[in-house]
Amino acid sequence: MAQAQDRSSFRASYYGLAMLFLVALFNYIDRSIISILQEPLKADLGLSDTQLGALTGLSFALMYTTMALPIARLADVWNRKRLIAGALAIWSTATAACGLANGFGTLVALRMGVAFGEAGCVPASHSMIADYFPLRQRATALALWGLSNPFGTMLGFAAGGWITQTLGWREAFLLFGIAGVALAPIVLTMKEPKRGRFDDHADSRAQVPLREALATLWKLKAFRFLAAGGAAHAFVVFAAHNWNAPFFGRVHEMPIGQVALYLALAIGLGGGTGQFVGGWLADRLGRGDRRWYMWLPATASVLLIPFSLGTYLIEDTAAAMAMGVVQAVLLNVWFAPIVATAQMLVASQMRAFTSAMLVLIVNILGLSLGPLMTGMLSDALQPTFGAESLRYAILASMGMSVVAALCFFRSGQHLMRELEGAGGEAGPKVVEAARA
């Protein structure tokens, strides 16, 4: 009987992980597709690089980060799979409607609608995965789920570029949006896991009060440095992801179909490799010393600098593309380790909220400012460097990798002490300290 229950639980956990992966795949397709469509949008709607930066970053991030916290608080007490299904239906409808946009203002409003829906996906998914898998498997499970980011970006770039060349950018938005709406009811077939099922200590309260939850996170220096490092690294990630397509199109004069195929393979295969290896290696190294959950992304951030210099400064297109593949690997190592670390620092009743706080901090600097400031700098340098201005604008943004590496390293220094103070994984003692 026990073995049958274990097999049933195993199947339910991996089915749930697969379904969450599929939902997140559409999340990142719908989020990233606009990046490959920037040049057609610029031509058809007469947009500047600053407007493109605001469209792909700031406008999305403002709504996304604003709504992430209240929706995460709901996810900590309500049925998470229903919340995710509803969120998917909302952002997919908004994505389809982007195909009807007739100007910058309309497109901004619709992209904010996409952000509103997507704010309900990540924190609830992180919380469910933490209840599907024990700590020793969690970073690997998060890494597998996190493959949705590079694979979704790959599909968004490849299919978006092909559809745009064949039919047009409006049809690209429409087709992806309809597919996401069709998936929403299927999400309800996964099992809602019991909260805190793998925790050594259980907190009987349904939800930690907001002030107490904030105080808990503030007392955790490992979390503070983790979030700061994540924000700095996200600045680099979104500057690269949102502007690499225009960079290779303008500077290396590659057609949109070729750029879409290259970036799809670089982000999908290279980024997917970095995503999985980051989680898998963190779990292995972390068994001996949990500080490696933070020191691994710190190492990747340092290695990112020389490969970014090669990507944007090498004149030979093939060599720059090869460097860009390695860059894509290193850009994605960070994700699973930092999410797993954040989840292990807090109680189960705070996990969705903690992920939302991480999303908020990371996206305020990363998603909102990375693309925008890169676009503004490109516009400022354009009179001097022409099409080359984008090369130096992106390169300047890569300097934030140094900040990320330092913050991740400092987080690792605090991690062991705070995990011991938290009584292991779930963090009840930290919560008690916050109340005091």
Side-chain angles (χ1 to χ4, degrees):
M1 179 66 71
Q3 289 183 340
Q5 289 178 337
D6 288 343
R7 286 196 297 270
S8 176
S9 177
F10 176 87
R11 287 194 296 268
S13 294
Y14 277 93
Y15 178 77
L17 179 63
M19 191 59 63
L20 292 172
F21 172 86
L22 194 56
V23 172
L25 195 70
F26 276 89
N27 181 316
Y28 292 110
I29 288 173
D30 293 346
R31 185 184 306 188
S32 65
I33 187 175
I34 197 168
S35 296
I36 197 65
L37 303 181
Q38 284 184 90
E39 294 301 283
L41 289 172
K42 183 182 179 76
D44 286 358
L45 302 181
L47 305 181
S48 67
D49 280 355
T50 299
Q51 287 178 310
L52 288 173
L55 181 62
T56 59
L58 182 62
S59 61
F60 184 95
L62 286 176
M63 178 62 72
Y64 187 71
T65 55
T66 300
M67 297 307 302
L69 286 180
I71 295 176
R73 293 287 287 176
L74 180 62
D76 275 330
V77 295
W78 198 55
N79 187 287
R80 291 166 288 187
K81 70 177 183 180
R82 293 179 184 174
L83 180 63
I84 292 170
L88 172 61
I90 291 171
W91 89 63
S92 297
T93 300
T95 296
C98 286
L100 306 176
N102 57 6
F104 175 70
T106 306
L107 199 52
V108 165
L110 291 171
R111 288 295 293 175
M112 292 179 76
V114 175
F116 175 80
E118 291 193 2
C121 175
V122 173
S125 295
H126 289 175
S127 176
M128 291 185 75
I129 292 170
D131 289 331
Y132 277 138
F133 298 94
L135 175 61
R136 67 181 183 276
Q137 300 174 344
R138 195 170 296 156
T140 302
L142 284 164
L144 289 170
W145 175 84
L147 288 173
S148 59
N149 186 337
F151 288 176
T153 304
M154 175 179 70
L155 290 173
F157 276 28
W162 180 80
I163 294 170
T164 299
Q165 272 196 326
T166 306
L167 301 174
W169 62 267
R170 295 183 185 277
E171 287 77 6
F173 280 124
L174 182 64
L175 291 173
F176 280 121
I178 291 173
V181 171
L183 174 64
I186 304 174
V187 173
L188 298 174
T189 61
M190 65 180 173
K191 181 181 179 180
E192 176 79 12
K194 180 183 176 182
R195 294 182 193 273
R197 61 187 291 229
F198 296 111
D199 292 351
D200 294 330
H201 306 276
D203 190 328
S204 61
R205 294 172 300 169
Q207 188 176 57
V208 178
L210 178 59
R211 180 176 295 181
E212 188 177 308
L214 290 171
T216 297
L217 294 180
W218 179 253
K219 285 180 178 292
L220 293 168
K221 291 183 179 180
F223 179 83
R224 281 151 56 183
F225 279 109
L226 175 157
H233 187 77
F235 188 99
V236 174
V237 170
F238 289 114
H241 281 184
N242 288 24
W243 286 107
N244 276 353
F247 167 75
F248 281 102
R250 295 181 201 176
V251 177
H252 291 277
E253 299 181 348
M254 294 170 60
I256 186 172
Q258 188 177 347
V259 172
L261 178 60
Y262 161 66
L263 289 177
L265 294 174
I267 295 172
L269 301 181
T273 298
Q275 189 84 246
F276 178 76
V277 169
W280 178 84
L281 194 56
D283 273 341
R284 267 92 195 136
L285 295 174
R287 288 173 187 172
D289 187 341
R290 288 192 184 173
R291 289 176 294 185
W292 277 105
Y293 277 96
M294 286 289 91
W295 289 353
L296 181 63
T299 302
S301 294
V302 172
L303 293 175
L304 181 61
I305 297 168
F307 286 99
S308 293
L309 287 169
T311 301
Y312 301 114
L313 292 181
I314 291 177
E315 296 291 343
D316 181 75
T317 300
M321 291 168 67
M323 287 287 205
V325 173
V326 182
Q327 182 199 50
V329 173
L330 295 170
L331 281 171
N332 285 274
V333 168
W334 71 306
F335 173 78
I338 74 165
V339 174
T341 302
Q343 295 288 294
M344 76 173 70
L345 281 167
V346 299
S348 61
Q349 290 83 359
M350 280 184 57
R351 285 186 178 140
F353 175 78
T354 300
S355 284
M357 282 298 299
L358 190 57
V359 165
L360 172 64
I361 297 166
V362 164
N363 284 287
I364 282 177
L365 178 60
L367 180 55
S368 64
L369 296 183
L372 177 63
M373 293 184 69
T374 304
M376 292 174 66
L377 185 56
S378 177
D379 280 340
L381 296 176
Q382 198 276 333
T384 303
F385 296 102
E388 297 279 318
S389 65
L390 189 55
R391 179 199 301 272
Y392 301 110
I394 303 176
L395 195 58
S397 298
M398 298 299 105
M400 291 295 286
S401 293
V402 177
V403 178
L406 291 172
C407 289
F408 288 145
F409 179 77
R410 289 286 287 149
S411 176
Q413 289 182 311
H414 292 286
L415 183 58
M416 288 301 293
R417 176 179 56 79
E418 292 182 342
L419 283 176
E420 290 168 0
E425 177 196 353
K429 291 184 180 179
V430 175
V431 175
E432 290 294 336
R435 289 183 209 163

